[in-house]
Amino acid sequence: MKPVLIIRTGQAPDNIRARFGDFPHWFRLGTQLVPQQLHVVNVATGETLPAPEEVSGALITGSAAMVTDKAPWSERTAGWIRNAMDVDLPLLGVCYGHQLMAHALGGRVDYLTGGREIGTLPIELLPGAEQDSLASHLPAIFRAHTTHEQSVMEVPKDARVLARSERDPHHLLRYGKNAVSVQFHPEFNADVMRAYIKRKHNDMRREGFDPHHTYRQVAATPNARRFLKMFSRHHGLSRSQR
């Protein structure tokens, strides 16, 4: 079986990484794949991506970088995403990966109006989501962890918007039969979310948010966390474990 690719676009902050591990580890736990099934490529450090035909699917991680900076490694990855779409490769982008997929496919990314979105928030499915192969397994409203400054402001022409939060109307996008992306973080657990809030408390205060209230609102997000496993199983990426 071809490996599942993790496109690593960044890394967790040092203090969080030391306690909880890093993005590839969190994605592996969420998808329930074993390490031997995964191939991690750190595009942010210049590592080269394999051809889309050489992998069975790809997961695109979050990052502290900004899509609007159009860093060379990021733009190369956007080109790879377009090539992967041409062969209907299963793709799932998360946070930066969500924004990069939208950017690569003709959408527009920019800073979220009113400052960052951070914390455990309700995500609402939109009409039509009940017909989607993945979103149909989610409740009409579910909790998810979020932390981002930029968002997808305009979706690609043929993309379908399946879920929103109060401030971000584009939390879950469907691009084709095998490609989806989410602004929320299905790979986070509650401890990781709390650690990010602690790290960002000064920025939150500067933007007019109450970090203590946000911290107290952190809760388990079982439906959001299940999204990674649903994606993996729906596309047959984890069939060797069943």
Side-chain angles (χ1 to χ4, degrees):
M1 184 179 177
K2 297 176 183 177
V4 178
L5 177 66
I6 293 182
I7 300 176
R8 181 173 176 170
T9 64
Q11 63 181 22
D14 291 346
N15 63 322
I16 295 176
R17 195 167 66 250
R19 291 182 61 196
F20 303 110
D22 208 349
F23 300 155
H25 174 65
W26 304 343
F27 275 81
R28 183 183 69 78
L29 293 178
T31 56
Q32 297 188 345
L33 296 167
V34 297
Q36 294 80 3
Q37 292 175 281
L38 296 172
H39 176 42
V40 180
V41 174
N42 191 338
V43 291
T45 61
E47 293 182 3
T48 301
L49 289 164
E53 295 85 355
E54 295 176 4
V55 297
S56 58
L59 310 167
I60 310 169
T61 75
S63 177
M66 298 298 169
V67 168
T68 55
D69 289 343
K70 297 184 178 180
W73 63 263
S74 185
E75 292 298 286
R76 285 194 298 270
T77 307
W80 187 94
I81 289 168
R82 291 189 287 270
N83 292 337
M85 288 292 294
D86 287 342
V87 298
D88 286 330
L89 186 73
L91 294 175
L92 171 59
V94 172
C95 196
Y96 188 94
H98 163 76
Q99 298 163 19
L100 186 59
M101 284 181 67
H103 165 71
L105 300 175
R108 183 175 68 88
V109 175
D110 210 333
Y111 284 90
L112 183 63
T113 304
R116 75 189 67 239
E117 186 177 59
I118 185 168
T120 307
L121 301 175
I123 306 296
E124 177 187 2
L125 293 185
L126 298 176
E130 71 279 359
Q131 300 172 2
D132 185 79
S133 58
L134 291 176
S136 60
H137 297 282
L138 294 168
I141 298 177
F142 61 95
R143 291 190 301 255
H145 301 310
T146 70
T147 175
H148 62 110
E149 295 180 66
Q150 294 197 334
S151 294
V152 177
M153 308 305 287
E154 297 176 10
V155 303
K157 179 182 176 182
D158 296 324
R160 284 182 288 144
V161 184
L162 300 176
R164 61 163 296 140
S165 69
E166 182 179 356
R167 292 184 54 222
D168 188 333
H170 306 137
H171 255 276
L172 171 54
L173 299 181
R174 164 73 65 180
Y175 306 93
K177 66 177 183 179
N178 292 334
V180 294
S181 68
V182 293
Q183 181 59 67
F184 61 85
H185 282 277
E187 79 281 18
F188 278 19
N189 62 28
D191 289 334
V192 169
M193 185 72 262
R194 292 186 185 98
Y196 269 91
I197 294 168
K198 285 183 177 180
R199 180 178 175 82
K200 297 292 186 181
H201 74 277
N202 288 332
D203 294 325
M204 294 173 67
R205 286 192 181 282
R206 187 171 61 250
E207 294 173 359
F209 302 115
D210 180 355
H212 298 296
H213 174 77
T214 303
Y215 188 91
R216 290 193 300 269
Q217 295 299 309
V218 173
T221 59
N223 290 295
R225 284 183 62 79
R226 198 161 53 90
F227 195 81
L228 284 172
K229 182 171 68 175
M230 289 192 302
F231 176 84
S232 178
R233 291 188 174 179
H234 178 74
H235 292 290
L237 306 181
S238 57
R239 62 178 178 265
S240 63
Q241 290 196 185
R242 289 184 287 176

